[in-house]
Each structure stands twice: as C-alpha cells, then as structure tokens.
Amino acid sequence: MVKEEKKKKPMERYKRMQCWVIVKRMVEGRDGWALKAPLDIKFLKGCLENKSKVKKAIGLKDIEGKLKSYSSPDEFADDMRFVFNHGMCYPRRDDVFRIAARLSDTFEYKWKVLKKEWALEEKRLMKDRNHKRKRESQSLCPMIR
C-alpha cells in the first residue's frame, strides 16, 4: 500500500516576495556575513533546550533558497527564528550573538508590520468579493417596481 502524501499549497506570490525582500536585505546587509551560512555546530550542541526539535543548522542563504517550498509565511518565520536562536547560542560578547540579536529584533518588528498589512489586505479582498457578489445578485434579480 502506497501512502499518499498531501501536496502542500505554495505560499501566495506576493507574500513570498515580501519574505524574500526581508531575507535578502539581511543577507546583503553589513551584518549578513554572520548568519549567511549555517553556524558552527559546536556552539549549537549545548544551548538548545529542546533536543527533539533540533534540526540541521541552516543559514539565511538556505532560507532564501527554499522560499518556494514554504506553504505558509509562518514556516518562513519559524526558520528565520531558528537561525537567530542559533546565533544567540554564541557567547554574549561575540559578534555573532550581537548580530543575531539585532537581526532578530529587526525581523520581529518587520514581521509584525507585515502580518498587519496582510490581515488588512485579506479584509479588503473579502469586502471586495462581497461587494462584487452583491452587485451580481442585484443584476440577476432586477428590482420590481
């Protein structure tokens, strides 16, 4: 018996492009060098509290490469947070820790703003759809005078 895998629906294009802009700016920015590639595994071994959730170390370039495979923006955000958490496993005085903390704060702020924008866009689209349906129903059933 072959187990059928449910094919994931890809993330909407406009959301994917906005996620790409976030990660691209971080990779190309002055501090992108610190998190561009997967981090040194010796710093990651003892710092992650939940060993069952530990996955392979990834960098920002890896996230950029797999943007098309995400089915939701939240998957993207989880991977970004995963990279930042790995960076914050370095000693507090290390440049990688400082950069990871700064980029994490920047990401969380941008993410919060994007989520609000997307919610407003969804609300606007729903309003437009309802308005269009209402007009169509009115055109199908003209008012009797």
Side-chain angles (χ1 to χ4, degrees):
M1 186 172 158
V2 178
K3 186 177 182 181
E4 288 184 37
E5 288 187 29
K6 189 175 182 181
K7 190 171 182 176
K8 294 191 299 184
K9 182 181 172 190
M11 184 179 2
E12 292 96 342
R13 186 176 188 283
Y14 75 99
K15 290 182 180 180
R16 187 175 68 237
M17 292 306 294
Q18 290 172 330
C19 292
W20 177 80
V21 168
I22 290 173
V23 74
K24 191 68 173 176
R25 285 186 179 160
M26 288 186 177
V27 167
E28 299 296 326
R30 68 184 173 125
D31 293 333
W33 64 269
L35 301 173
K36 191 180 288 189
L39 297 174
D40 190 353
I41 204 75
K42 72 179 180 179
F43 288 106
L44 305 179
K45 284 184 180 175
C47 72
L48 299 175
E49 61 278 344
N50 190 352
K51 304 290 188 221
S52 63
K53 291 183 88 175
V54 174
K55 40 185 174 173
K56 182 181 165 193
I58 59 174
L60 294 176
K61 277 299 230 184
D62 299 324
I63 293 174
E64 183 183 8
K66 58 184 248 191
L67 263 173
K68 287 188 178 179
S69 69
Y70 292 122
S71 63
S72 74
D74 292 325
E75 286 181 37
F76 165 78
D78 290 343
D79 277 354
M80 291 292 285
R81 290 181 184 114
F82 185 73
V83 170
F84 300 139
N85 286 338
H86 280 187
M88 289 189 264
C89 288
Y90 279 69
R92 285 188 161 276
R93 293 183 177 218
D94 196 285
D95 286 339
V96 174
F97 176 90
R98 290 179 186 161
I99 290 169
R102 190 175 328 120
L103 290 179
S104 177
D105 291 343
T106 302
F107 173 76
E108 292 303 332
Y109 173 75
K110 287 181 180 181
W111 193 247
K112 186 174 137 183
V113 170
L114 265 181
K115 294 288 264 188
K116 285 181 182 177
E117 284 180 16
W118 291 339
L120 288 172
E121 181 67 16
E122 290 294 321
K123 191 183 284 188
R124 187 187 68 75
L125 287 174
M126 289 301 290
K127 186 177 178 181
D128 288 349
R129 281 188 210 129
N130 290 338
H131 184 69
K132 186 177 180 180
R133 284 186 193 135
K134 195 177 203 179
R135 278 195 336 239
E136 287 174 355
S137 68
Q138 287 175 351
S139 68
L140 291 175
C141 306
M143 292 177 66
I144 302 174
R145 290 186 185 189

